[in-house]
Amino acid sequence: MEEIYLDHAATSFPKPACVAQAVYRYMTESGCSINRGCYQKAYALEEIVYETRERLCALFDGCDPRNVIFTGNVTQSLNLLLKGFLKPGDHVLVSSMEHNAVMRPLVQLEKHGVSFTRIPCSETGDLIFDELVSCVCENTKPLS
C-alpha cells in the first residue's frame, strides 16, 4: 500500500530530490558557516545566501534583501515576528480559525499586555468582512 503523508503542517514530505542533493552538496563540499570565514568556500556560500535573499525579496516585493532572514521553521518565524514586534498596549487582529502556532504566542503575549481580537468567520471559513471594522481598535497594529 502506498503511504500517504498528511502532516504537512509540520513539514513537507517527501522533499524534492533537488533539496536533498543541495543539502548533501553543502555537507560534502562546503560545510562552512557564512559570515565567519575569510576563504573562498565561505565567500561562495555567502553569495548563494545573499542571492537567495535577493530572490525572496523580489518574490515578496520587499524593499531590501538585507531584511530577509532565515529561521529553522515557520513556528520560529511566527514567534520572532509576534514576540519581536508586539509590545504591551498593542492590539492585533487574527482570524477565528488561526493556527495554533499563531495563537500560542498571542495568548502568551496577552499576559504581558498585548491584546487581540478574533475576526469571525462563516461556516464555510470565509472572513466576515462586515464585522472587521468593529474589531479594529485605536491601538490595532499592522504586522506587515
Side-chain angles (χ1 to χ4, degrees):
M1 179 179 204
E2 182 180 342
E3 178 183 37
I4 300 174
Y5 186 82
L6 298 175
D7 196 13
H8 288 286
T11 187
S12 58
F13 182 79
K15 304 281 190 270
C18 61
V19 171
Q21 292 163 359
V23 170
Y24 181 77
R25 252 190 339 273
Y26 165 77
M27 294 175 70
T28 58
E29 296 174 16
S30 177
C32 59
S33 299
I34 64 166
N35 300 322
R36 292 188 49 95
C38 296
Y39 48 94
Q40 187 54 44
K41 282 185 181 181
Y43 292 142
L45 185 58
E46 286 175 26
E47 279 298 314
I48 291 169
V49 170
Y50 193 76
E51 181 182 316
T52 304
R53 283 192 172 106
E54 289 177 320
R55 289 179 174 193
L56 288 170
C57 187
L59 177 68
F60 292 105
D61 198 28
C63 60
D64 188 341
R66 292 175 297 179
N67 294 333
V68 175
I69 63 167
F70 299 101
T71 62
N73 54 56
V74 174
T75 299
Q76 187 179 17
S77 296
L78 288 167
N79 275 279
L80 182 66
L81 175 73
L82 295 170
K83 293 179 177 182
F85 287 109
L86 296 176
K87 304 292 181 239
D90 288 343
H91 174 262
V92 292
L93 302 177
V94 294
S95 89
S96 59
M97 302 179 300
E98 205 58 63
H99 190 276
N100 195 34
V102 171
M103 293 313 301
R104 277 188 176 189
L106 283 179
V107 169
Q108 291 169 357
L109 287 167
E110 194 173 33
K111 297 172 187 169
H112 300 284
V114 173
S115 62
F116 62 89
T117 301
R118 290 181 174 98
I119 305 167
C121 295
S122 70
E123 290 179 11
T124 58
D126 297 313
L127 288 175
I128 303 173
F129 286 105
D130 292 342
E131 305 254 351
L132 184 61
V133 173
S134 66
C135 295
V136 177
C137 302
E138 191 175 295
N139 60 335
T140 301
K141 186 172 184 178
L143 287 175
S144 59

